Amino acid sequence: MAEDLPGVTDITDSDEPGRPGGVRWFGVVLLLAYVALMALGAWSLWLIAGEELVAGISAGVFVFLYALGWRLWLAPGSDRRLAFKERLTVHLIAGPVVVVLGSLAGVWLPMIVALSAVIMCDALNERDRHPAVGGSAPDLI
């Protein structure tokens, strides 16, 4: 078969089949930062809308849309996950929108910290996925 040709290897063969890749600390921090942005955004909408039925509906819709967008385009296991540059663009456009929402409710500092953690940990995760690049995170941009 193709394995007999020089320079061709079968990528399905591995020394340790089924071994998980492991969890990195910045992957955990990335997930927590996404959850913090979602929770702070929903809480900000709740406060801005007046803590009534409309506030609950708007916060619920925000959480649903944020979680759906994360699952479809930003989650590491997604089939349609955006490339690093595209995810960075989403973070740099949608992130300040959520921070402004938080500033209207008076929680702008935690929002900025969570957004910074998302951008930093996503860059670290991307760098760790491609160790052959050997550069810093800005080299991936």
Side-chain angles (χ1 to χ4, degrees):
M1 288 221 230
E3 293 90 16
D4 299 334
L5 298 173
V8 176
T9 57
D10 186 8
I11 60 171
T12 59
D13 291 340
S14 65
D15 296 331
E16 300 174 20
R19 182 174 178 260
V23 177
R24 295 173 298 277
W25 68 268
F26 39 83
V28 174
V29 173
L30 178 63
L31 178 63
L32 292 176
Y34 277 130
V35 170
L37 280 176
M38 182 178 61
L40 288 170
W43 187 57
S44 297
L45 276 172
W46 175 263
L47 292 178
I48 292 168
E51 301 177 7
E52 294 179 8
L53 179 63
V54 174
I57 292 171
S58 63
V61 168
F62 174 79
V63 167
F64 175 75
L65 292 176
Y66 191 91
L68 182 67
W70 177 81
R71 176 64 185 108
L72 291 177
W73 300 311
L74 303 173
S78 175
D79 294 336
R80 293 178 274 179
R81 185 176 191 208
L82 299 175
F84 178 72
K85 289 180 185 180
E86 295 164 339
R87 288 192 316 268
L88 182 64
T89 302
V90 168
H91 296 145
L92 292 178
I93 292 172
V97 170
V98 177
V99 170
V100 167
L101 183 67
S103 69
L104 293 174
V107 291
W108 60 272
L109 186 58
M111 293 285 224
I112 289 175
V113 170
L115 179 61
S116 300
V118 164
I119 292 171
M120 179 192 67
C121 291
D122 195 21
L124 286 172
N125 195 28
E126 189 70 19
R127 185 192 68 185
D128 196 50
R129 287 183 60 229
H130 303 289
V133 173
S136 62
D139 291 341
L140 295 172
I141 295 174

